Amino acid sequence: MLQKKKILIRIGSLRHGGAEKVLVTFLKNLPQDKYQIDLLLNLYSGKYLSEVPKWINIIYLNKGEMITTNRIQDIPKKATRVIYQKLLKKRPSLLYKGKLKGKKYDIEFAAIHGMRDEILNSPLQSSKKIVWIHNDLSQLKEYTETEIKKFFGFDKIMVISEKIEKLFLDLAENETQKQKILKIYNPLDTEEILSKADKPFNNYEFDEKVPTFISVGTVFPQKGFDRLLKVHKKLLDKGFKHKILIVGDGYDFENIKKLKTELNIAHTTTMLGFSDNPYPYFKNADFYILSSRYEGFPTVLFEAITLKKKIIATEVSGVREMLNDGELGLIVENSEEGIYSGMKKALVNSQDFEKYTDNLKDYEMPFNLKNSVQKIISILDNV
């Protein structure tokens, strides 16, 4: 009988983000008989915890919800967590001897770019090291070329879009480094999306006479919900009737809610918070709008394409690739003006979007769950 490969996977938490969802989808489709997996979380929290297969061993540094405020009563707990995590990052041998009980791993896997140093500084010299890059790091100011080049310390660098692949290929100094870069589309479950979209929902009423633009994602600045609301207000002031529906939660939720009040658009904007099934809202909305400032490969567009939605998306990493160079949806400039022109076009000339609907009718994704999972399994088996 073949011995199971021992794998350590690290991620911050299993909150409601794209990378977290993709990781859990991948874990749900892994063969149990081949691997022994420890999933190490910095914080035992998040909506996807319940979806992790029972055979995967979850270990955590801290427990409880993420603390996103600076309220006086929260500061001691927040500080304790930060100090503990920094100590273990600085002295990884404490973590490996303590929480990880001296276990030897064949593979150590950073499921997000933020876990780079934790994995590369592992005291286990013999383990193979893999990282999964979900973001266009060139858009993050802390990631200079020097910082990005540190990722070449991994044995394999999994990237999720052509733009991120190009970024790494351009920075590679030799053929050996180039060989480390592997583009693998995110594993997402099309059948699950389609079946969940038919489920009932009860906390929002769509108005057939007023077009609704839906946007789904973690509420933080990257997603550009502030830009979306400002454009919404501008369009309303010009007499264009429409509604905005935002599904998602995150540390910027209260700020966006406050902006909604300041702009006096509470009657036309709904913020539903997190939903473990956003697909019925997708299905019933008229347009899907991606207002992001930057992305890696926006998972949410995969969902919108699966549900054949009329799409407007800012030109960020992965969008041209996903929308087939503009065949499957309207790609706009990555700015407030771009979002404004796209939404105005949808409201004034909605018939222009019929060509996208026609192109989506018989469109088959060039990537699917099975292929993506098989590619990652192949990496785990051959690294």
Side-chain angles (χ1 to χ4, degrees):
M1 188 179 152
L2 275 176
Q3 206 176 356
K4 291 182 180 181
K5 269 199 172 178
K6 293 184 180 70
I7 302 173
L8 175 69
I9 299 176
R10 292 202 64 173
I11 194 165
S13 70
L14 289 178
R15 66 177 179 81
H16 34 280
E20 291 78 4
K21 179 176 187 159
V22 163
L23 175 64
V24 171
T25 303
F26 167 61
L27 293 175
K28 280 167 30 180
N29 288 277
L30 264 186
Q32 185 179 342
D33 59 340
K34 288 179 77 170
Y35 311 108
Q36 196 182 99
I37 294 177
D38 285 345
L39 175 62
L40 175 58
L41 310 173
N42 281 359
L43 185 62
Y44 185 85
S45 90
K47 310 287 183 181
Y48 296 122
L49 272 173
S50 60
E51 292 188 39
V52 176
K54 296 287 175 273
W55 62 273
I56 288 168
N57 180 35
I58 300 178
I59 305 165
Y60 54 87
L61 305 183
N62 293 292
K63 198 169 186 175
E65 286 311 302
M66 198 175 281
I67 302 168
T68 55
T69 60
N70 284 317
R71 295 182 309 176
I72 289 169
Q73 64 267 39
D74 292 334
I75 289 171
K77 193 175 184 181
K78 195 174 181 178
T80 307
R81 283 180 184 177
V82 170
I83 292 163
Y84 179 51
Q85 281 172 211
K86 278 189 175 171
L87 171 69
L88 294 181
K89 189 173 178 177
K90 202 172 178 182
R91 298 189 59 192
S93 57
L94 294 175
L95 170 67
Y96 282 75
K97 283 175 190 165
K99 284 267 180 197
L100 301 178
K101 299 173 181 170
K103 196 184 280 189
K104 298 282 185 272
Y105 296 98
D106 300 300
I107 295 170
E108 294 186 87
F109 193 149
I112 50 169
H113 67 265
M115 285 290 159
R116 180 194 68 191
D117 298 345
E118 282 82 345
I119 296 293
L120 288 183
N121 296 334
S122 159
L124 301 179
Q125 300 297 311
S126 62
S127 71
K128 295 295 183 183
K129 295 173 177 66
I130 301 171
V131 63
W132 205 345
I133 311 274
H134 294 269
N135 274 92
D136 178 3
L137 300 182
S138 66
Q139 298 299 307
L140 305 178
K141 56 179 180 287
E142 65 270 31
Y143 282 93
T144 58
E145 277 194 10
T146 307
E147 280 299 307
I148 297 172
K149 281 180 178 178
K150 288 180 185 175
F151 285 94
F152 288 109
F154 284 90
D155 295 284
K156 293 292 175 192
I157 302 165
M158 286 166 35
V159 298
I160 61 168
S161 74
E162 280 173 6
K163 192 172 180 199
I164 305 173
E165 181 183 37
K166 187 178 185 306
L167 169 69
F168 276 91
L169 286 171
D170 288 348
L171 290 176
E173 290 170 2
N174 52 51
E175 202 54 40
T176 306
Q177 288 189 347
K178 284 182 180 176
Q179 298 295 325
K180 293 182 175 192
I181 305 157
L182 299 159
K183 187 184 74 178
I184 296 170
Y185 291 117
N186 278 337
L188 291 158
D189 195 334
T190 315
E191 284 173 26
E192 182 186 46
I193 293 165
L194 291 169
S195 68
K196 279 187 167 183
D198 290 328
K199 298 273 193 291
F201 62 97
N202 53 17
N203 52 351
Y204 187 77
E205 218 168 288
F206 287 91
D207 183 343
E208 282 181 21
K209 294 178 190 137
V210 182
T212 299
F213 293 83
I214 187 171
S215 199
V216 180
T218 310
V219 184
F220 51 53
Q222 172 191 341
K223 301 297 178 184
F225 291 128
D226 56 325
R227 307 198 290 186
L228 179 59
L229 294 195
K230 286 172 189 170
V231 167
H232 172 51
K233 168 70 173 165
K234 210 187 286 186
L235 286 164
L236 287 175
D237 289 348
K238 294 266 174 79
F240 297 108
K241 283 187 177 178
H242 65 292
K243 289 185 176 181
I244 298 285
L245 173 60
I246 295 172
V247 183
D249 198 356
Y251 67 75
D252 219 24
F253 191 88
E254 291 306 318
N255 290 335
I256 299 297
K257 212 167 150 189
K258 193 175 156 202
L259 179 64
K260 185 175 90 160
T261 309
E262 284 168 7
L263 294 171
N264 194 25
I265 50 172
H267 57 300
T268 52
T269 306
T270 303
M271 295 180 70
L272 275 185
F274 175 79
S275 167
D276 56 5
N277 182 15
Y279 305 121
Y281 305 106
F282 261 98
K283 192 174 178 180
N284 287 278
D286 300 279
F287 297 93
Y288 185 84
I289 175 96
L290 181 89
S291 54
S292 295
R293 289 182 164 89
Y294 62 91
E295 287 283 349
F297 199 68
T299 302
V300 74
L301 283 192
F302 177 97
E303 298 164 336
I305 290 166
T306 301
L307 294 168
K308 316 290 185 200
K309 297 315 299 176
K310 292 170 180 168
I311 297 165
I312 301 161
T314 50
E315 186 159 6
V316 291
S317 169
V319 164
R320 283 215 167 269
E321 222 170 321
M322 290 201 94
L323 295 182
N324 251 14
D325 243 351
E327 276 181 31
L328 306 177
L330 179 65
I331 302 170
V332 299
E333 184 187 275
N334 185 3
S335 64
E336 250 176 69
E337 293 72 31
I339 296 165
Y340 178 85
S341 71
M343 289 177 70
K344 185 181 175 185
K345 189 173 185 181
L347 294 167
V348 176
N349 300 313
S350 62
Q351 68 276 9
D352 286 0
F353 281 76
E354 294 308 322
K355 64 184 177 198
Y356 304 125
T357 309
D358 289 342
N359 291 341
L360 280 167
K361 264 178 201 159
D362 303 311
Y363 180 71
E364 276 192 38
M365 293 280 186
F367 42 90
N368 59 43
L369 179 66
K370 193 179 172 188
N371 287 349
S372 296
V373 171
Q374 278 309 125
K375 278 188 178 178
I376 301 169
I377 286 174
S378 163
I379 293 168
L380 297 179
D381 291 350
N382 299 306
V383 73

